C-alpha cells in the first residue's frame, strides 16, 4: 500500500471518530440546549456535515490517488486461470 | 374514477413498465451462465451504481425509516455511516473481488472462497449461509408489496393477490434475463425511488407545516426528545449506535445480492466511480427523511404502526395520482431488492451447490438451465413463505443481517492475508453464527451491543487465532500475495 493510500485510511479513521461516540455524545449534549441549528436538528446538521465531507473526500481520493487510478487491462479471457 | 382505481391503475402501469424494461434488457443478453450471473462483467457506471444502491436499500428505506425516527428520533441518522461506507467497501474490497473474478472466472463469493482457500466445503458453508439468510428476505419483500397493493386498492386487491402479482412479474424477468434484466429494472427503480422519496418528503413538510424549519420548530416545542439520543424509546444508546452501524454495514455488504455486484463491473474505473456515486446516492436519498419522521410524530402521536405513516401522509397532503406515484417508489424499493435476492440465490444454488457438489461434470448450458429453474422454485417457496408467514421466518429474519457479518473475516482474509487458513475460516463462521444466535435468542444484546457486533467480534478473533495456529495452503499464500502485489503502489 502506498503512502497516499495510507493517508486515505488515516483520514477515514479520523472521520469515523467524528461520527461516533464520544464526539457524537458531546454534540448530543449540546443539542439538548440547542435543538436547532440553521433551522434543522443540531445532531443531524453535525452528522450531515461529516457525511458530505466523507463523500467529498472519497471522491477526491478516487480522482487523485495514483494507486486508485490504474485500470485493469491485463486479463483478456474471463476466468482463464481457474484455480 | 375512484381513488382506489387511480392507485391501482398507476401501480399496474408501473409493474408493466418494469416487466417491459426487464424483458427488453433480457433480449440483449447471451444464454450462458456468466451472462446470467454477472452480465459478463459488462456494466458501466450508471447501471452498476443504481443496481448496487437499489439492491442495498430495501423497503426499509421507504417505510421503516419513518417508523424508526418516529420511535427513536434523530439518533436514526447513525444510518448515514452505513450509507457513506458501502461505497468505500465496494471499492476497497470489491476491486480485489472483481480482479479475482476476472482472473479465475469466479461468479460468486462461494466460488471465490473455494478457489482461494482450496476447500469446496468452506465454499459450501459460505454459500449455505448466503442462501439461508436470503430466501426469507425475498419473502419479506413480497409481504411488503402485498400490503402496498392491498392498501392502495382500499382492499379491492387482497394481500395474497398483491403478493402473487409481485412475484409473477419479478420471477418472469429474472428468469428471462438474469442479472442484466435485474440491473436495468433496478436502474429504473433506483431513479424512481430517489426522486419520489425526496419529493414526497419535501411536499409533506411544505403542505403539512409550511416548510422544514417550521416543522422542526414545532417538533422542538412539542417533542424535544426527538432531537437527542437516546430518543423517545431510549433505544439509541452509545452501544446501540456503534453496534448498529457495524452490524448492518458489514452484514448487508456480505449478503449474496450485494457481493454478486462486485463481479459485474466492466473495469476498475467503473467500479471506482460507481462506488463514489453509490455513497452519494445512498446518503442523499435520506436528505428529507428526518422531516418525514418528525411530521409523522407530530400528526399521529400515538400510532401503533408508524412504518406505514409515510404513505398515509402522502395520501393526506398530496393528490391521489401523486401519492400513488410515490407509493410505486416503495414498490420499487421492495422489488429492486427482491429481484436481486432471487437472482443471487438462484446463482448460489446452480453454480455453488449443483455444479460444484452435485454434478461437477455439468456443462455451462446445464448450469444456466438449473439457475433459471431455481428462480421459479425459489419464487414458489418465497410466495408460500410470504402467504403462510411461518414463525421460523421471523427468527431467520431476526438474525439475517447479523448472521452475514460472520463471513467478513473469511472474505477479507481471502483478499488480504496470506496466512488465512481453511480451519480459521470454518471455525470463525461456525462460532460467529453461534454468537449471533446466542446474543439474539438466549442472552439478548449483552452490554447493549447488537448481535451483529458480537458475530463480527467473535468471528474475527477466532479467524485470526485459528489461522495463526494452523498452516495455510501454498495456493492461498500464492493467490493472496499476487493480489497484494498487484494492488500495491
Amino acid at each position: 500500500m502506498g503512502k497516499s493510500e495510507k493517508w486515505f485510511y488515516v483520514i477515514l479513521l479520523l472521520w469515523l471518530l467524528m461520527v461516533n461516540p464520544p464526539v457524537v455524545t458531546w454534540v448530543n449534549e449540546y443539542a439538548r440546549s440547542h435543538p436547532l441549528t440553521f433551522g434543522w436538528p443540531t445532531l443531524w446538521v453535525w452528522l450531515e456535515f461529516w457525511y458530505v465531507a466523507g463523500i467529498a473526500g472519497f471522491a477526491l481520493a478516487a480522482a487523485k490517488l495514483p494507486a486508485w487510478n490504474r485500470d485493469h487491462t491485463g486479463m483478456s479471457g474471463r476466468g482463464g486461470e481457474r484455480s | 374514477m375512484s381513488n382506489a382505481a387511480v392507485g391501482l391503475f398507476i401501480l399496474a402501469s408501473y409493474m408493466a413498465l418494469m416487466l417491459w424494461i426487464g424483458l427488453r434488457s433480457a433480449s440483449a443478453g447471451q444464454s450462458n451462465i456468466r451472462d446470467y450471473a454477472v452480465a459478463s462483467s459488462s456494466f458501466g457506471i450508471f447501471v452498476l451504481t443504481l443496481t448496487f444502491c437499489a439492491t442495498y436499500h430495501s423497503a426499509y428505506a421507504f417505510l421503516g425509516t419513518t417508523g424508526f425516527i418516529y420511535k427513536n428520533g434523530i439518533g436514526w441518522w447513525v444510518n448515514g455511516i452505513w450509507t457513506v461506507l458501502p461505497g468505500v467497501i465496494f471499492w476497497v474490497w470489491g476491486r480485489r473481488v472483481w480482479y479475482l473474478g476476472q482472473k479465475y472466472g469466479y461468479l460468486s463469493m462461494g466460488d471465490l472462497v473455494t478457489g482461494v482457500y482450496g476447500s469446496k466445503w468452506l465454499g459450501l458453508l459460505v454459500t449455505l449461509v448466503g442462501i439461508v439468510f436470503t430466501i426469507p428476505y425475498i419473502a419479506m419483500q413480497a409481504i411488503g408489496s402485498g400490503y402496498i397493493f392491498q392498501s392502495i386498492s382500499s382492499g379491492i386487491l387482497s394481500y395474497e393477490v398483491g403478493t402473487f402479482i409481485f412475484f409473477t412479474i419479478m420471477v418472469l424477468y429474472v428468469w428471462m434475463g438474469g442479472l442484466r434484466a435485474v440491473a436495468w429494472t433496478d436502474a429504473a427503480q433506483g431513479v424512481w425511488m430517489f426522486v419520489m422519496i425526496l419529493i414526497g418528503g419535501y411536499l409533506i413538510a411544505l403542505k403539512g407545516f409550511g416548510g422544514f424549519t417550521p416543522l422542526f420548530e414545532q417538533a422542538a416545542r412539542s417533542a424535544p426528545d426527538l432531537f437527542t439520543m437516546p430518543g423517545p424509546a431510549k433505544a439509541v444508546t452509545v452501544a446501540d449506535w456503534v453496534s448498529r452501524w457495524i452490524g448492518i454495514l458489514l452484514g448487508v455488504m456480505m449478503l449474496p445480492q450485494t457481493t454478486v455486484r462486485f463481479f459485474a463491473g466492466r473495469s476498475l474505473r467503473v467500479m471506482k466511480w460507481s462506488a463514489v456515486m453509490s455513497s452519494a446516492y445512498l446518503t442523499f436519498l435520506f436528505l428529507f427523511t428526518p422531516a418525514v419522521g418528525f411530521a409523522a410524530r407530530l400528526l399521529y402521536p400515538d400510532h401503533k404502526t408508524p412504518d406505514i405513516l409515510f404513505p398515509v401522509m402522502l395520501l393526506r397532503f398530496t393528490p391521489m395520482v401523486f401519492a400513488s406515484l410515490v407509493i410505486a417508489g416503495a414498490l420499487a424499493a421492495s422489488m429492486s431488492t427482491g429481484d436481486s435476492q432471487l437472482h443471487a440465490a438462484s446463482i448460489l444454488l446452480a453454480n455453488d451447490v449443483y455444479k460444484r457438489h452435485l454434478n461437477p461434470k455439468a456443462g455451462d448450458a446445464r448450469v444456466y438451465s438449473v439457475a433459471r429453474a431455481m428462480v421459479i422454485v425459489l419464487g414458489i417457496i418465497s410466495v408460500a413463505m410470504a402467504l403462510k408467514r411461518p414463525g421460523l421466518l421471523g427468527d431467520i429474519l431476526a438474525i439475517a443481517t447479523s448472521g452475514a457479518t460472520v463471513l467478513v473475516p473469511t472474505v477479507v482474509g481471502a483478499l488480504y492475508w496470506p496466512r488465512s487458513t481453511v480451519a480459521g475460516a470454518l471455525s470463525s463462521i461456525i462460532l460467529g453464527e453461534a454468537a449471533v444466535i446466542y446474543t439474539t435468542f438466549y442472552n439478548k444484546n449483552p452490554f447493549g451491543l447488537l448481535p451483529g457486533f458480537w458475530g463480527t467480534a467473535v468471528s474475527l478473533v477466532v479467524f485470526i487465532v485459528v489461522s495463526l495456529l494452523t498452516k495455510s495452503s501454498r495456493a492461498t499464500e500464492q493467490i493472496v500475495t499476487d493480489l497484494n502485489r498487484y494492488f500495491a503502489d
Side-chain angles (χ1 to χ4, degrees), chain B residues 251-275:
Chain B
V252 177
M253 290 308 290
M254 285 295 113
L255 286 169
Q257 70 269 18
T258 308
T259 56
V260 157
R261 278 148 183 79
F262 291 171
F263 299 93
R266 189 188 301 149
S267 65
L268 284 175
R269 194 184 75 85
V270 165
M271 290 277 296
K272 182 178 70 179
W273 287 111
S274 293

mmCIF file of all heavy atoms in Angstrom, chain B residues 251-275:
data_model
loop_
_atom_site.group_PDB
_atom_site.id
_atom_site.type_symbol
_atom_site.label_atom_id
_atom_site.label_comp_id
_atom_site.label_asym_id
_atom_site.label_seq_id
_atom_site.Cartn_x
_atom_site.Cartn_y
_atom_site.Cartn_z
ATOM 1 N N GLY B 251 -22.996 -6.673 7.506
ATOM 2 C CA GLY B 251 -23.950 -7.728 7.157
ATOM 3 C C GLY B 251 -24.482 -7.563 5.748
ATOM 4 O O GLY B 251 -24.447 -8.505 4.943
ATOM 5 N N VAL B 252 -24.954 -6.368 5.420
ATOM 6 C CA VAL B 252 -25.533 -6.168 4.084
ATOM 7 C C VAL B 252 -24.459 -6.318 3.003
ATOM 8 O O VAL B 252 -24.721 -6.853 1.927
ATOM 9 C CB VAL B 252 -26.232 -4.786 3.980
ATOM 10 C CG1 VAL B 252 -26.771 -4.557 2.581
ATOM 11 C CG2 VAL B 252 -27.368 -4.695 4.984
ATOM 12 N N MET B 253 -23.238 -5.874 3.312
ATOM 13 C CA MET B 253 -22.172 -5.990 2.301
ATOM 14 C C MET B 253 -21.772 -7.445 2.044
ATOM 15 O O MET B 253 -21.132 -7.751 1.048
ATOM 16 C CB MET B 253 -20.933 -5.190 2.730
ATOM 17 C CG MET B 253 -21.122 -3.693 2.698
ATOM 18 S SD MET B 253 -21.746 -3.025 1.143
ATOM 19 C CE MET B 253 -20.346 -3.242 0.060
ATOM 20 N N MET B 254 -22.128 -8.354 2.954
ATOM 21 C CA MET B 254 -21.786 -9.761 2.772
ATOM 22 C C MET B 254 -22.936 -10.589 2.209
ATOM 23 O O MET B 254 -22.754 -11.755 1.870
ATOM 24 C CB MET B 254 -21.339 -10.376 4.114
ATOM 25 C CG MET B 254 -19.954 -9.975 4.555
ATOM 26 S SD MET B 254 -18.661 -10.576 3.431
ATOM 27 C CE MET B 254 -18.057 -9.042 2.742
ATOM 28 N N LEU B 255 -24.131 -10.011 2.119
ATOM 29 C CA LEU B 255 -25.256 -10.779 1.578
ATOM 30 C C LEU B 255 -25.039 -11.011 0.078
ATOM 31 O O LEU B 255 -24.485 -10.152 -0.622
ATOM 32 C CB LEU B 255 -26.574 -10.035 1.829
ATOM 33 C CG LEU B 255 -27.060 -10.075 3.295
ATOM 34 C CD1 LEU B 255 -28.215 -9.106 3.522
ATOM 35 C CD2 LEU B 255 -27.473 -11.491 3.696
ATOM 36 N N PRO B 256 -25.454 -12.165 -0.434
ATOM 37 C CA PRO B 256 -25.100 -12.523 -1.816
ATOM 38 C C PRO B 256 -25.574 -11.544 -2.874
ATOM 39 O O PRO B 256 -24.896 -11.338 -3.876
ATOM 40 C CB PRO B 256 -25.751 -13.893 -2.014
ATOM 41 C CG PRO B 256 -26.396 -14.279 -0.761
ATOM 42 C CD PRO B 256 -26.171 -13.231 0.268
ATOM 43 N N GLN B 257 -26.756 -10.927 -2.646
ATOM 44 C CA GLN B 257 -27.231 -9.987 -3.670
ATOM 45 C C GLN B 257 -26.307 -8.780 -3.790
ATOM 46 O O GLN B 257 -26.269 -8.115 -4.822
ATOM 47 C CB GLN B 257 -28.670 -9.539 -3.384
ATOM 48 C CG GLN B 257 -28.866 -8.643 -2.200
ATOM 49 C CD GLN B 257 -29.148 -9.426 -0.926
ATOM 50 O OE1 GLN B 257 -28.879 -10.617 -0.866
ATOM 51 N NE2 GLN B 257 -29.699 -8.770 0.076
ATOM 52 N N THR B 258 -25.551 -8.476 -2.718
ATOM 53 C CA THR B 258 -24.575 -7.389 -2.784
ATOM 54 C C THR B 258 -23.279 -7.891 -3.427
ATOM 55 O O THR B 258 -22.733 -7.248 -4.329
ATOM 56 C CB THR B 258 -24.258 -6.853 -1.366
ATOM 57 O OG1 THR B 258 -25.479 -6.552 -0.711
ATOM 58 C CG2 THR B 258 -23.396 -5.623 -1.422
ATOM 59 N N THR B 259 -22.791 -9.032 -2.969
ATOM 60 C CA THR B 259 -21.467 -9.481 -3.424
ATOM 61 C C THR B 259 -21.469 -9.863 -4.911
ATOM 62 O O THR B 259 -20.440 -9.735 -5.574
ATOM 63 C CB THR B 259 -20.962 -10.666 -2.579
ATOM 64 O OG1 THR B 259 -21.921 -11.722 -2.617
ATOM 65 C CG2 THR B 259 -20.735 -10.255 -1.143
ATOM 66 N N VAL B 260 -22.615 -10.306 -5.435
ATOM 67 C CA VAL B 260 -22.690 -10.611 -6.875
ATOM 68 C C VAL B 260 -22.288 -9.387 -7.698
ATOM 69 O O VAL B 260 -21.636 -9.490 -8.737
ATOM 70 C CB VAL B 260 -24.125 -11.074 -7.255
ATOM 71 C CG1 VAL B 260 -24.403 -10.868 -8.735
ATOM 72 C CG2 VAL B 260 -24.316 -12.545 -6.896
ATOM 73 N N ARG B 261 -22.623 -8.207 -7.193
ATOM 74 C CA ARG B 261 -22.341 -6.971 -7.933
ATOM 75 C C ARG B 261 -20.858 -6.605 -7.943
ATOM 76 O O ARG B 261 -20.424 -5.783 -8.742
ATOM 77 C CB ARG B 261 -23.220 -5.842 -7.383
ATOM 78 C CG ARG B 261 -24.606 -5.903 -7.980
ATOM 79 C CD ARG B 261 -25.719 -5.431 -7.115
ATOM 80 N NE ARG B 261 -26.989 -5.623 -7.825
ATOM 81 C CZ ARG B 261 -27.635 -6.792 -7.928
ATOM 82 N NH1 ARG B 261 -27.151 -7.875 -7.366
ATOM 83 N NH2 ARG B 261 -28.766 -6.893 -8.609
ATOM 84 N N PHE B 262 -20.074 -7.194 -7.037
ATOM 85 C CA PHE B 262 -18.628 -6.967 -7.069
ATOM 86 C C PHE B 262 -18.016 -7.485 -8.375
ATOM 87 O O PHE B 262 -16.949 -7.051 -8.790
ATOM 88 C CB PHE B 262 -17.939 -7.697 -5.907
ATOM 89 C CG PHE B 262 -18.220 -7.137 -4.531
ATOM 90 C CD1 PHE B 262 -17.813 -7.823 -3.405
ATOM 91 C CD2 PHE B 262 -18.869 -5.936 -4.349
ATOM 92 C CE1 PHE B 262 -18.050 -7.327 -2.120
ATOM 93 C CE2 PHE B 262 -19.113 -5.431 -3.078
ATOM 94 C CZ PHE B 262 -18.706 -6.128 -1.965
ATOM 95 N N PHE B 263 -18.683 -8.467 -8.969
ATOM 96 C CA PHE B 263 -18.129 -9.116 -10.164
ATOM 97 C C PHE B 263 -18.633 -8.486 -11.464
ATOM 98 O O PHE B 263 -18.211 -8.886 -12.538
ATOM 99 C CB PHE B 263 -18.541 -10.600 -10.184
ATOM 100 C CG PHE B 263 -18.045 -11.406 -9.019
ATOM 101 C CD1 PHE B 263 -18.820 -11.570 -7.881
ATOM 102 C CD2 PHE B 263 -16.801 -12.020 -9.056
ATOM 103 C CE1 PHE B 263 -18.379 -12.319 -6.796
ATOM 104 C CE2 PHE B 263 -16.346 -12.771 -7.982
ATOM 105 C CZ PHE B 263 -17.131 -12.925 -6.850
ATOM 106 N N ALA B 264 -19.576 -7.555 -11.358
ATOM 107 C CA ALA B 264 -20.346 -7.180 -12.542
ATOM 108 C C ALA B 264 -19.852 -5.944 -13.292
ATOM 109 O O ALA B 264 -20.366 -5.638 -14.363
ATOM 110 C CB ALA B 264 -21.808 -6.973 -12.151
ATOM 111 N N GLY B 265 -18.860 -5.231 -12.775
ATOM 112 C CA GLY B 265 -18.399 -4.006 -13.436
ATOM 113 C C GLY B 265 -17.552 -4.297 -14.674
ATOM 114 O O GLY B 265 -16.930 -5.349 -14.785
ATOM 115 N N ARG B 266 -17.533 -3.347 -15.565
ATOM 116 C CA ARG B 266 -16.784 -3.510 -16.817
ATOM 117 C C ARG B 266 -15.287 -3.358 -16.594
ATOM 118 O O ARG B 266 -14.481 -3.965 -17.275
ATOM 119 C CB ARG B 266 -17.284 -2.465 -17.820
ATOM 120 C CG ARG B 266 -16.758 -2.661 -19.235
ATOM 121 C CD ARG B 266 -17.145 -1.480 -20.112
ATOM 122 N NE ARG B 266 -18.594 -1.317 -20.166
ATOM 123 C CZ ARG B 266 -19.202 -0.139 -20.318
ATOM 124 N NH1 ARG B 266 -18.509 0.963 -20.411
ATOM 125 N NH2 ARG B 266 -20.509 -0.075 -20.363
ATOM 126 N N SER B 267 -14.907 -2.508 -15.630
ATOM 127 C CA SER B 267 -13.486 -2.235 -15.403
ATOM 128 C C SER B 267 -13.300 -1.700 -13.989
ATOM 129 O O SER B 267 -14.281 -1.404 -13.300
ATOM 130 C CB SER B 267 -12.979 -1.184 -16.406
ATOM 131 O OG SER B 267 -13.640 0.053 -16.147
ATOM 132 N N LEU B 268 -12.037 -1.560 -13.588
ATOM 133 C CA LEU B 268 -11.775 -0.990 -12.262
ATOM 134 C C LEU B 268 -12.232 0.470 -12.194
ATOM 135 O O LEU B 268 -12.693 0.937 -11.154
ATOM 136 C CB LEU B 268 -10.286 -1.094 -11.922
ATOM 137 C CG LEU B 268 -9.801 -2.487 -11.503
ATOM 138 C CD1 LEU B 268 -8.291 -2.489 -11.313
ATOM 139 C CD2 LEU B 268 -10.479 -2.946 -10.218
ATOM 140 N N ARG B 269 -12.088 1.170 -13.278
ATOM 141 C CA ARG B 269 -12.527 2.572 -13.291
ATOM 142 C C ARG B 269 -14.043 2.655 -13.039
ATOM 143 O O ARG B 269 -14.520 3.496 -12.276
ATOM 144 C CB ARG B 269 -12.197 3.211 -14.645
ATOM 145 C CG ARG B 269 -12.304 4.718 -14.660
ATOM 146 C CD ARG B 269 -12.049 5.268 -16.058
ATOM 147 N NE ARG B 269 -13.216 5.033 -16.921
ATOM 148 C CZ ARG B 269 -14.277 5.838 -16.994
ATOM 149 N NH1 ARG B 269 -14.306 6.940 -16.273
ATOM 150 N NH2 ARG B 269 -15.287 5.556 -17.783
ATOM 151 N N VAL B 270 -14.777 1.753 -13.660
ATOM 152 C CA VAL B 270 -16.231 1.716 -13.448
ATOM 153 C C VAL B 270 -16.542 1.395 -11.992
ATOM 154 O O VAL B 270 -17.405 2.025 -11.357
ATOM 155 C CB VAL B 270 -16.877 0.670 -14.392
ATOM 156 C CG1 VAL B 270 -18.300 0.353 -13.945
ATOM 157 C CG2 VAL B 270 -16.874 1.171 -15.825
ATOM 158 N N MET B 271 -15.818 0.401 -11.427
ATOM 159 C CA MET B 271 -16.017 0.039 -10.021
ATOM 160 C C MET B 271 -15.820 1.257 -9.117
ATOM 161 O O MET B 271 -16.604 1.533 -8.211
ATOM 162 C CB MET B 271 -15.006 -1.028 -9.581
ATOM 163 C CG MET B 271 -15.196 -2.397 -10.153
ATOM 164 S SD MET B 271 -16.412 -3.361 -9.265
ATOM 165 C CE MET B 271 -15.699 -3.553 -7.654
ATOM 166 N N LYS B 272 -14.723 1.971 -9.381
ATOM 167 C CA LYS B 272 -14.345 3.086 -8.508
ATOM 168 C C LYS B 272 -15.403 4.188 -8.527
ATOM 169 O O LYS B 272 -15.872 4.622 -7.463
ATOM 170 C CB LYS B 272 -12.986 3.645 -8.959
ATOM 171 C CG LYS B 272 -12.482 4.774 -8.100
ATOM 172 C CD LYS B 272 -11.113 5.247 -8.561
ATOM 173 C CE LYS B 272 -11.190 5.962 -9.884
ATOM 174 N NZ LYS B 272 -9.887 6.453 -10.329
ATOM 175 N N TRP B 273 -15.802 4.601 -9.712
ATOM 176 C CA TRP B 273 -16.744 5.721 -9.766
ATOM 177 C C TRP B 273 -18.156 5.288 -9.374
ATOM 178 O O TRP B 273 -18.938 6.094 -8.850
ATOM 179 C CB TRP B 273 -16.688 6.408 -11.134
ATOM 180 C CG TRP B 273 -15.407 7.190 -11.230
ATOM 181 C CD1 TRP B 273 -14.336 6.910 -12.034
ATOM 182 C CD2 TRP B 273 -15.018 8.314 -10.423
ATOM 183 N NE1 TRP B 273 -13.304 7.794 -11.797
ATOM 184 C CE2 TRP B 273 -13.700 8.673 -10.812
ATOM 185 C CE3 TRP B 273 -15.631 9.046 -9.417
ATOM 186 C CZ2 TRP B 273 -13.004 9.731 -10.229
ATOM 187 C CZ3 TRP B 273 -14.944 10.105 -8.838
ATOM 188 C CH2 TRP B 273 -13.648 10.433 -9.246
ATOM 189 N N SER B 274 -18.475 4.028 -9.598
ATOM 190 C CA SER B 274 -19.761 3.523 -9.093
ATOM 191 C C SER B 274 -19.766 3.559 -7.573
ATOM 192 O O SER B 274 -20.793 3.870 -6.948
ATOM 193 C CB SER B 274 -19.996 2.074 -9.544
ATOM 194 O OG SER B 274 -20.176 2.025 -10.922
ATOM 195 N N ALA B 275 -18.627 3.243 -6.978
ATOM 196 C CA ALA B 275 -18.517 3.260 -5.513
ATOM 197 C C ALA B 275 -18.742 4.669 -4.973
ATOM 198 O O ALA B 275 -19.507 4.880 -4.017
ATOM 199 C CB ALA B 275 -17.151 2.738 -5.085
#
